[in-house]
Amino acid sequence: MTVLTIAIIILAVSIGLSLIQKTVYKRLWNKNLSYNLTASKKAAFEGENVEITDSVTNGKNLPLPWVYASYLISQYLIFIDSKNNEIHRGERRALLFVVGTNKTASRKSKVLCSKRGHYVAKEFSISANNPLMTHHTRENSALNFSLLVYPRIVDYPEAVIPLKRIFGTATVKRFIDPDPFVFKGIREYLPTDSFRQINWSATAKSGTLMSNIHDFTVEQNITILLNLERYNGYKRGFVLEEAIRLAAFLSRQCIKMGVPVSLVCPAGDGRPVQISSGLSAAHLETIYATLAYINLNAENHSIAEYLPGTSDKAFILISSYHDTDLYEKFMFARRAKTDISWILPHSERDEISVPPHDDIIKMEVHGDALAN
């Protein structure tokens, strides 16, 4: 057999094998092939890191030496260990995997949650080359990735002032009358005790008059009124973001101090946010999640209609908007003896026309470089 014949045979075999592997990979490359994107937690706070895992599973007896996966991700989820330390808006995150037979290849990344919001990835693109790189195949598929980023919890010493005043009022009220529904214990009857306090069962057992002791309580609820209304042409979104963080902070402080808190915010895709009063950790998480979902680009209605006239409840208004209509409604509530305070976040460039008032706290805030 001549050298030429051998060369022709080798060439023919090579072409045949190339065609075979091209055909096989073209038909089978995406069989039992799946892609998954997961986060180490379903929700995080602004400024926190989460771990995101990209994984490709190849459930067949055919190795995939070149698998590319890509998807769109928000610029506010910053991949710290990526080459450029940041994913820009509209850019696809692209990854290369080598996946053996019946194997899963994974890649973990640390991600900084730089801004409040709800982040999703709904579609990914996956493609592969055969081993000889002679054919490229690609398809798009649905992706179910979701990450909720709560507002960052920042300590605001100024914001504690209305809470201290409200709690101080509650402390005074709680010693006026004992609550007959809160049982504390039993002791011997005193001449100053009411006849209704006598515990006849305990008296019969001890042979001595015994009285029920009732604790002192006060039912104090606080409603946070979060107003995200803008002035015409108002562009300082960071002030509104700070207002949202203020609402999260005050909600946490109320629950921490044992006072039920509710939230009202006339914002968000055509329907106002109204969370009834609660005191549990789950209730606080509901408030955090609700604040995370708020879309500042949606139509925001005035909070003025939610301000009370006369009410025995306590209110804290958070509003950078301070036009005459809102100020007059606030003062009406004050004159009606309603327990209401106003925290007014603003930038250093804003001109505040609201007159000084003991229950109006003006708070200067600054842009957040992390979320810009």
Side-chain angles (χ1 to χ4, degrees):
M1 186 179 292
T2 64
V3 174
L4 179 60
T5 302
I6 295 174
I8 292 174
I9 293 173
I10 293 175
L11 179 61
V13 170
S14 298
I15 293 173
L17 290 175
S18 176
L19 291 174
I20 290 172
Q21 62 92 33
K22 180 179 178 179
T23 302
V24 169
Y25 273 87
K26 184 178 180 179
R27 290 183 58 187
L28 301 177
W29 76 276
N30 59 351
K31 182 181 179 181
N32 296 331
L33 180 66
S34 62
Y35 179 79
N36 198 22
L37 179 65
T38 58
S40 56
K41 54 177 72 174
K42 293 183 178 179
F45 288 92
E46 282 179 315
E48 280 190 344
N49 292 333
V50 299
E51 188 176 73
I52 287 183
T53 302
D54 298 84
S55 59
V56 176
T57 299
N58 179 26
K60 57 181 175 293
N61 295 318
L62 184 69
L64 296 173
W66 313 101
V67 178
Y68 303 90
S70 65
Y71 52 89
L72 286 172
I73 197 76
S74 171
Q75 65 168 333
Y76 299 118
L77 296 181
I78 302 175
F79 287 75
I80 297 174
D81 57 351
S82 63
K83 291 182 179 179
N84 298 321
N85 289 337
E86 186 173 350
I87 301 297
H88 299 285
R89 184 185 298 276
E91 182 180 347
R92 280 193 173 270
R93 175 168 164 78
L95 299 169
L96 172 64
F97 297 90
V98 178
V99 193
T101 59
N102 298 299
K103 296 289 185 180
T104 297
S106 300
R107 187 167 303 170
K108 295 182 178 180
S109 304
K110 184 183 292 185
V111 175
L112 174 64
C113 303
S114 69
K115 190 175 182 179
R116 171 196 65 84
H118 180 222
Y119 300 103
V120 297
K122 296 182 178 179
E123 184 183 74
F124 72 97
S125 172
I126 193 165
S127 58
N129 287 321
N130 55 35
L132 297 179
M133 302 287 285
T134 58
H135 185 72
H136 182 80
T137 50
R138 176 179 175 175
E139 70 176 16
N140 295 329
S141 188
L143 185 63
N144 185 24
F145 173 81
S146 175
L147 178 63
L148 198 58
V149 179
Y150 298 151
R152 183 166 60 251
I153 302 298
V154 183
D155 286 330
Y156 298 97
E158 307 99 312
V160 177
I161 295 173
L163 287 181
K164 286 184 176 179
R165 182 182 56 74
I166 293 170
F167 294 152
T169 302
T171 302
V172 172
K173 289 179 180 178
R174 64 179 289 177
F175 292 106
I176 296 176
D177 293 301
D179 190 332
F181 297 103
V182 181
F183 180 74
K184 190 175 182 181
I186 301 174
R187 59 165 168 74
E188 288 189 8
Y189 178 82
L190 298 175
T192 55
D193 289 342
S194 167
F195 187 74
R196 290 176 298 176
Q197 286 180 253
I198 297 176
N199 187 314
W200 294 108
S201 176
T203 297
K205 291 180 180 179
S206 64
T208 305
L209 281 175
M210 304 295 290
S211 294
N212 293 324
I213 308 172
H214 298 281
D215 204 357
F216 295 89
T217 64
V218 60
E219 182 61 26
Q220 180 66 70
N221 292 278
I222 293 180
T223 299
I224 296 173
L225 303 170
L226 175 60
N227 187 33
L228 301 175
E229 189 177 4
R230 298 172 182 258
Y231 292 100
N232 290 334
Y234 190 81
K235 300 296 184 181
R236 299 184 182 96
F238 69 87
V239 176
L240 302 181
E241 288 292 343
E242 207 68 26
I244 293 173
R245 293 177 189 137
L246 265 166
F249 167 76
L250 289 172
S251 299
R252 186 190 67 171
Q253 290 299 109
C254 288
I255 291 178
K256 184 178 179 180
M257 301 183 76
V259 176
V261 61
S262 58
L263 174 69
V264 174
C265 179
D269 298 330
R271 59 178 183 177
V273 170
Q274 290 184 287
I275 301 177
S276 59
S277 184
L279 192 57
S280 66
H283 179 72
L284 180 58
E285 191 165 344
T286 298
I287 292 177
Y288 287 159
T290 301
L291 294 173
Y293 277 110
I294 287 177
N295 179 9
L296 292 179
N297 295 320
E299 183 180 1
N300 296 314
H301 304 284
S302 174
I303 195 76
E305 63 181 278
Y306 296 94
L307 264 67
T310 302
S311 176
D312 57 357
K313 296 182 179 180
F315 298 83
I316 298 179
L317 170 65
I318 303 173
S319 177
S320 60
Y321 176 89
H322 56 275
D323 220 345
T324 306
D325 60 331
L326 185 60
Y327 177 73
E328 290 179 351
K329 195 68 182 289
F330 172 80
M331 293 306 299
F332 176 81
R334 292 298 308 169
R335 289 191 293 269
K337 305 300 182 183
T338 297
D339 194 350
I340 183 170
S341 300
W342 184 351
I343 300 177
L344 198 161
H346 63 91
S347 76
E348 58 183 354
R349 297 182 181 181
D350 292 335
E351 295 183 5
I352 309 300
S353 57
V354 172
H357 192 283
D358 289 343
D359 292 309
I360 300 178
I361 300 170
K362 300 172 184 177
M363 183 184 301
E364 184 176 312
V365 299
H366 303 277
D368 187 355
L370 183 66
N372 293 331

